Amino acid sequence: MSQELSAEQIQHALQGISVPPQPQIMVDLQFEQYMPDPDLEVIAKLISQDPGLSGALLKLVNSPYYGLTNKIASIQRAVNLLGSRSIINLINAQSIKGEMSDDTIVTLNRFWDTAQDVAMTCLTLAKRIGSQAVDEAYALGLFHDCGVPLMLKRFPEYMSVLEDAYASAGAEQRVVDTENQVFNTNHAVVGYYTAKSWRLPEHLSNAIANHHNALAVFSDDSARNSQLKNLLAILKMAEHICASYRVLGNQSIDHEWNTVGHLVLDYVGLSEYDFENLKQTIRELGGH
């Protein structure tokens, strides 16, 4: 039941999308697109590795053109719904066309690498702990830091401030507090508005907004926010396993995890010992 959209309709639907796709993935996608019979499964796999392209895809499939009752967060489902012609139009609309300098690409490699890594780890963790929201856990892993490239675009010195933010994270200071002091905004807020513009489900956007607010979220013992806690628990474990503190924050110690880790593990019912074993298994699987 795929309703093919024209290039113009896609350009119109994608206004406001500005997380750049990874250049290499664009090359691979364009190669696949010129095959006599493009393979939708290969295309879905490539798109699902990239936050910018995945965001564009979900924005499109959740747009009024398709009139879906429930918003979807599954990349494979979105590709199947859109069909190959619309997907090819989407890829062409997202072409980078040389708008990024080599320096920016090198800096953004940290963002792309960690996004795909955290997404895959969220997926594995969601399956391991029996979560119902496997697609959503993957999407959160992929999109949680989508504000980072936008902050970098706006503030060239952003990455060094982010490193300071990770260095001073702790019980009294969130990662985003340091960003707020310097820029009056932060990547979680920018990520939230990006996710909203991509028409992601509200609770996913909410998890993006709160992903550095885990101490407050898990310190609240009430039954409120269970959906948020379920998603954030998986994300915080995944960030720690993938060493986001090292890749993005350039730190040797995960100060944020040291502050919230015990609360997260309590919430999901894992002992430190079990988590260490799980961490080792996942790191070996992912070749860390």
Side-chain angles (χ1 to χ4, degrees):
M1 133 313 25
S2 67
Q3 169 195 349
E4 304 290 12
L5 297 190
S6 69
E8 290 71 36
Q9 286 172 309
I10 286 175
Q11 284 288 14
H12 180 70
L14 290 187
Q15 278 172 345
I17 291 277
S18 45
V19 173
Q22 186 170 14
Q24 187 52 53
I25 286 177
M26 292 305 294
V27 171
D28 295 344
L29 276 169
Q30 277 159 339
F31 179 76
E32 184 60 38
Q33 147 191 350
Y34 293 122
M35 294 292 199
D37 190 13
D39 184 333
L40 283 187
E41 210 164 300
V42 171
I43 286 174
K45 213 172 193 151
L46 285 166
I47 289 176
S48 70
Q49 291 170 31
D50 187 273
L53 286 166
S54 297
L57 176 71
L58 294 178
K59 176 169 188 182
L60 207 51
V61 83
N62 288 321
S63 70
Y65 290 114
Y66 287 90
L68 300 178
T69 331
N70 295 318
K71 292 185 172 178
I72 66 170
S74 161
I75 310 300
Q76 183 67 62
R77 265 191 72 202
V79 167
N80 294 344
L81 278 167
L82 285 172
S84 61
R85 175 50 40 205
S86 292
I87 292 291
I88 286 167
N89 283 339
L90 168 78
I91 294 166
N92 293 339
Q94 288 296 95
S95 288
I96 294 181
K97 301 198 176 80
E99 65 188 52
M100 289 198 302
S101 70
D102 289 348
D103 284 354
T104 312
I105 289 170
V106 169
T107 311
L108 277 176
N109 276 338
R110 287 160 73 182
F111 158 73
W112 283 313
D113 290 349
T114 189
Q116 169 60 3
D117 218 6
V118 171
M120 283 308 297
T121 304
C122 281
L123 180 74
T124 308
L125 284 169
K127 287 177 176 171
R128 287 289 172 97
I129 65 173
S131 167
Q132 301 303 300
V134 175
D135 279 338
E136 296 193 341
Y138 181 89
L140 178 61
L142 194 66
F143 296 135
H144 71 289
D145 276 339
C146 65
V148 166
L150 300 175
M151 290 291 284
L152 180 62
K153 222 171 183 175
R154 173 79 180 76
F155 307 107
E157 74 281 24
Y158 176 69
M159 290 314 278
S160 64
V161 173
L162 189 60
E163 289 175 13
D164 292 344
Y166 272 95
S168 48
E172 303 300 318
Q173 176 99 338
R174 302 172 303 167
V175 166
V176 289
D177 291 334
T178 305
E179 293 180 56
N180 288 339
Q181 286 154 15
V182 180
F183 304 119
N184 288 325
T185 188
N186 63 70
H187 74 275
V189 167
V190 173
Y192 169 77
Y193 285 112
T194 305
K196 294 273 285 182
S197 82
W198 287 347
R199 302 190 180 89
L200 294 190
E202 179 60 35
H203 58 280
L204 262 186
S205 304
N206 200 25
I208 291 169
N210 281 288
H211 77 277
H212 286 297
N213 200 28
L215 184 58
V217 171
F218 287 100
S219 297
D220 175 4
D221 289 334
S222 70
R224 291 179 316 154
N225 292 338
S226 62
Q227 195 175 30
L228 176 63
K229 285 177 179 170
N230 293 344
L231 282 170
L232 281 188
I234 291 170
L235 177 65
K236 296 328 282 185
M237 290 190 289
E239 284 184 310
H240 178 64
I241 290 168
C242 297
S244 297
Y245 61 95
R246 194 177 294 133
V247 184
L248 280 177
N250 202 20
Q251 301 305 308
S252 56
I253 295 168
D254 192 345
H255 300 296
E256 188 179 44
W257 177 256
N258 290 347
T259 307
V260 301
H262 63 288
L263 295 172
V264 170
L265 295 183
D266 271 356
Y267 181 77
V268 295
L270 278 176
S271 69
E272 288 278 356
Y273 178 77
D274 290 338
F275 180 63
E276 278 307 312
N277 284 341
L278 188 55
K279 181 161 82 173
Q280 279 315 114
T281 309
I282 292 174
R283 282 184 170 171
E284 281 158 19
L285 278 175
H288 290 285

